[in-house]
Amino acid sequence: MAGVQTAVALREQGFTGSVTLIGAEPHQPYDRPPLSKAVLLGTAEGSAFDVDFEALGIELRLGREVLGVHPAEHELDTAEGPVPYDVLVLATGAEPIRLPGAEGVPGVHLLRTLDDAERLRPVLARQHDIVVVGAGWIGAEFATAAREAGCAVTVVEAADRPLAGALPAEVAAPMAAWYADAGATLRTHARVRSVEPGAVLLDDGSRLPADAVVVGIGARPATAWLAGSGIELGSHGEVVADDRLRTSAPDVYAVGDCASFPSGRYGERLLVHHWDNALQGPRTVAANILGGATGEPPAVYDPVPYFWSEQFGRFVQYAGHHASADTTLWRGDPTGPSWTVCWLREGRLVALLAVGRPRDLAQGRRLIEAGTPMDPTLLADPARPLKAAMA
Ligand SMILES: Cc1cc2nc3c(=O)[nH]c(=O)nc-3n(C[C@H](O)[C@H](O)[C@H](O)COP(=O)(O)OP(=O)(O)OC[C@H]3O[C@@H](n4cnc5c(N)ncnc54)[C@H](O)[C@@H]3O)c2cc1C
């Protein structure tokens, strides 16, 4: 996503030099969100980007893994030989974390790539017993599709609630009920001890029958290939970019799931693994590549992060970034079909999560962007438009 968007943004912004997009996967570049939704259920064949690379003068080199980079020589290593560059953009994304001990066990799946989704499609069609490891975004979306396909689904989660890494307990609590509503079993405090063909064994001794196991326990930046390059990596293995998305090496940028950037808006470094970041970041990268040549003022990347998830018949959207010290405020009943939770810092909206309330999301995103002071009493009234709750 971020690689394609960078190439397209370069052309849109008037770059006339040669652009080469190298990718390890053999497929025409494609979008990932449909993989856990329509592609999995077979209602969409694929999700290739609607981009005419040839017309844009973008050279695609697919099925080619880049093995290393030598910033001083401005050169990449590939199995086919060295590839020189003037400017390099790192957009290698993230790879799913594997479940220790489960690798190589028949019937164990990940869900990151088109190949993964295509392997899972017939599994769903067989309507088997499926165990999902991890109640995060991917686990919830996969469980949704598997229930829709008529599978028996058990989701095991080591934490005490779904989305424990992303949301505080009070916000995630109502989401736990969504699993049962959809006919899926959610088992929290459940640690996997081992996986064997046909079953998952938990720490408490229980044995869950599993014709298939889908592991969704998170992803980490795909940066192993940068080892020894001298390009600075952060504590999560991500490329450390600056506010213009430049890395520590000259003429090397990084964008998308593989890179973190310092957020001026939130006063901390953010590593975002969501689609919108792989859409917005590339525009900044392209502007800075072009600006470097024309002397334009630098483009600073300081977005209000945004993502969505479709799970258990609900449209979940989040904008901004919250910290544990921020105040939460509810709009609507969290046991009902639609509600929003807002996070406030010094009277201003810093983040919101909207379930089935896209208008709240759209208005909230603009209010976060503008840093508008809000009136908490007005904000708590779900009948009042969010934008009418300004202080
Ligand atoms: C199943 C699924 C569903 C999702 N749904 C949503 C959603 O609903 N909403 C949302 O906001 N986000 C969603 N996301 C997240 C979103 O898709 C990602 O944030 C986005 O794809 C990141 O783009 P990227 O270009 O940084 O990484 P990627 O899309 O992962 O692309 C990186 C590419 O680099 C290639 N690569 C890696 N290393 C090398 C190498 N050494 N040499 C050559 N090529 C290499 C990889 O093969 C890959 O094709 C979803 C992700 C998945 C997996």
Side-chain angles (χ1 to χ4, degrees), residues 1-3 22-25 30-37 64-67 91-95 111-113 138 141 222 225 255-258 272-276 278 306-310:
M1 170 77 178
I22 308 180
E25 293 182 72
Y30 62 88
D31 208 10
R32 288 186 204 281
L35 298 186
S36 51
K37 308 169 183 81
R64 306 231 179 146
E65 192 178 353
V66 177
L67 306 171
T92 48
E95 49 204 9
L111 179 50
R112 177 80 195 179
T113 64
I138 296 285
E141 292 203 354
W225 66 284
V255 66
D257 282 9
C258 72
V272 179
H273 277 186
H274 297 296
W275 187 91
D276 191 64
Y306 164 72
F307 67 87
W308 80 96
S309 171
E310 290 157 60

